[in-house]
Amino acid sequence: MQQSTGLLYVVATPIGNLGDMTDRARKVLSEVDLIAAEDTRQTLRLLTHFGISSKLVAYHDHNEASVAPRLLAEIESGRNVALVSDAGTPLISDPGFSLVAAARERGLGVVPVPGANAAICALSAAGLPSDRFLFVGFPPRTRSHRLAWLGGLAAERGTLILYESGKRILATLADIGEALGETRRLVLARELTKHFETFLVGTVSELAQRIEGDAEQRLGELVVLIEGNTATGDPDRAEAERVLRILGESLPLAQAVAIAARLTGVKKNALYRLGLELDVGRSVAVTDDEA
Ligand code: SAM
């Protein structure tokens, strides 16, 4: 008789408040043969709190290539495995994608056990449009990559959702201001579901000022929500604005307009007016070579 295979459960855990652990997550975690956890010590604390004694195995970015085949073999031989991350939903800026993809490829059953997720939790209470949104995870660490990455999001009309740590929030805010404009509306959702949960609402510059003057706002974990590009309602203009801003950083307006026209196909007159409106490209210093 053919042996039946097990299942891979993808189990969400709380992002701070243990009251958010679902009954189903507890049941699944106590009944599976093996729990694959991003950080076994962290998960052990959670399991101990709920009196769960299932066996744990470490599964993280650095060992997934060697551990994933073992987990898949366990499932194929009939055992049930649960995947958890340190907090929230696995795979969402957390390990697990390659395991789930490989399980699907092998035709194994993958069962989601939903629960907390910081992005959705923040969006649900931010008061920014929630009919269309784009989750983009953590911004790149280096400034030039971050600016280019943000520039690529400038035309997005849905609410943007980013993850960030309190330590890097001021640098990231400065770059959001530069790439998307200082007047974009933002919501910073900090320490969600925890004792010091805070929602700060304002423009980029207002929030940067607020956080600069209050070190507490730089502690802990943050979700950054950015209002989508609703100012223009015109994706061509949004792209032209983005290109002009970048070129205007190092070129005088006339040159920036000429190149932006070739890159975007927007007429020079319109770009020139836009450049004046945005005040780009005018304060570029003339170097000795050019003088
Ligand atoms: N998988 C998790 C989820 O479902 O939300 C996210 C894991 S990711 C490694 C951690 C990031 O999520 C943090 O740096 C922060 O941006 C966000 N985050 C997690 N918990 C949070 C909380 N309680 N409050 C605010 N942001 C949180």
Side-chain angles (χ1 to χ4, degrees):
M1 200 178 72
Q2 209 187 350
Q3 182 187 29
S4 66
T5 59
L7 292 169
L8 173 62
Y9 291 93
V10 182
V11 182
T13 56
I15 56 170
N17 190 326
L18 292 180
D20 293 333
M21 184 81 168
T22 68
D23 285 347
R24 186 162 168 240
R26 289 171 69 167
K27 185 167 187 299
V28 167
L29 291 179
S30 48
E31 288 175 0
V32 290
D33 300 290
L34 199 56
I35 299 175
E38 187 185 4
D39 177 344
T40 49
R41 277 175 311 175
Q42 171 108 354
T43 299
L44 185 60
R45 279 199 288 275
L46 182 81
L47 298 185
T48 306
H49 179 87
F50 289 108
I52 298 168
S53 55
S54 306
K55 196 174 154 199
L56 275 167
V57 57
Y59 176 80
H60 43 67
D61 287 339
H62 307 293
N63 74 359
E64 64 180 346
S66 61
V67 175
R70 275 174 39 211
L71 294 174
L72 293 166
E74 294 280 357
I75 298 168
E76 276 168 341
S77 63
R79 279 180 276 282
N80 292 320
V81 173
L83 172 69
V84 297
S85 57
D86 288 355
T89 303
L91 279 80
I92 311 300
S93 291
D94 266 337
F97 166 69
S98 54
L99 180 65
V100 169
R104 286 262 170 238
E105 253 169 49
R106 293 182 188 207
L108 298 170
V110 183
V111 181
V113 181
N117 164 251
I120 298 299
C121 174
L123 182 66
S124 72
L128 288 177
S130 53
D131 56 337
R132 172 173 164 147
F133 59 88
L134 182 65
F135 171 71
V136 288
F138 286 96
R141 290 282 180 94
T142 53
R143 180 147 196 265
S144 55
H145 288 138
R146 198 160 55 225
L147 278 171
W149 183 82
L150 285 165
L153 299 170
E156 172 57 43
R157 293 160 84 174
T159 298
L160 294 167
I161 308 179
L162 284 62
Y163 281 164
E164 191 50 288
S165 84
K167 273 183 278 174
R168 281 185 295 274
I169 188 61
L170 275 176
T172 296
L173 277 183
D175 292 345
I176 292 173
E178 188 162 336
L180 311 186
E182 296 290 340
T183 54
R184 280 275 188 123
R185 255 195 338 140
L186 246 67
V187 176
L188 299 181
R190 194 175 67 88
E191 295 292 87
L192 290 162
T193 77
K194 303 184 197 176
H195 184 69
F196 291 106
E197 179 178 273
T198 317
F199 281 81
L200 296 180
V201 182
T203 63
V204 180
S205 40
E206 285 166 355
L207 291 184
Q209 238 181 0
R210 169 86 165 77
I211 292 174
E212 238 158 9
D214 181 355
E216 201 161 292
Q217 298 303 325
R218 300 196 290 274
L219 299 176
E221 305 189 280
L222 279 165
V223 179
V224 181
L225 302 104
I226 309 174
E227 186 173 43
N229 190 341
T230 53
T232 66
D234 174 358
D236 287 346
R237 183 189 142 125
E239 178 61 4
E241 183 175 328
R242 184 179 85 80
V243 170
L244 256 189
R245 279 190 193 280
I246 294 171
L247 292 172
E249 280 173 16
S250 48
L251 293 173
L253 182 58
Q255 261 176 278
V257 163
I259 299 173
R262 288 173 63 193
L263 288 173
T264 63
V266 176
K267 290 220 161 57
K268 276 191 195 169
N269 282 351
L271 286 171
Y272 200 82
R273 274 197 306 276
L274 182 60
L276 291 175
E277 209 180 289
L278 299 172
D279 197 22
V280 298
R282 290 194 300 181
S283 56
V284 177
V286 178
T287 65
D288 288 347
D289 292 349
E290 288 167 326

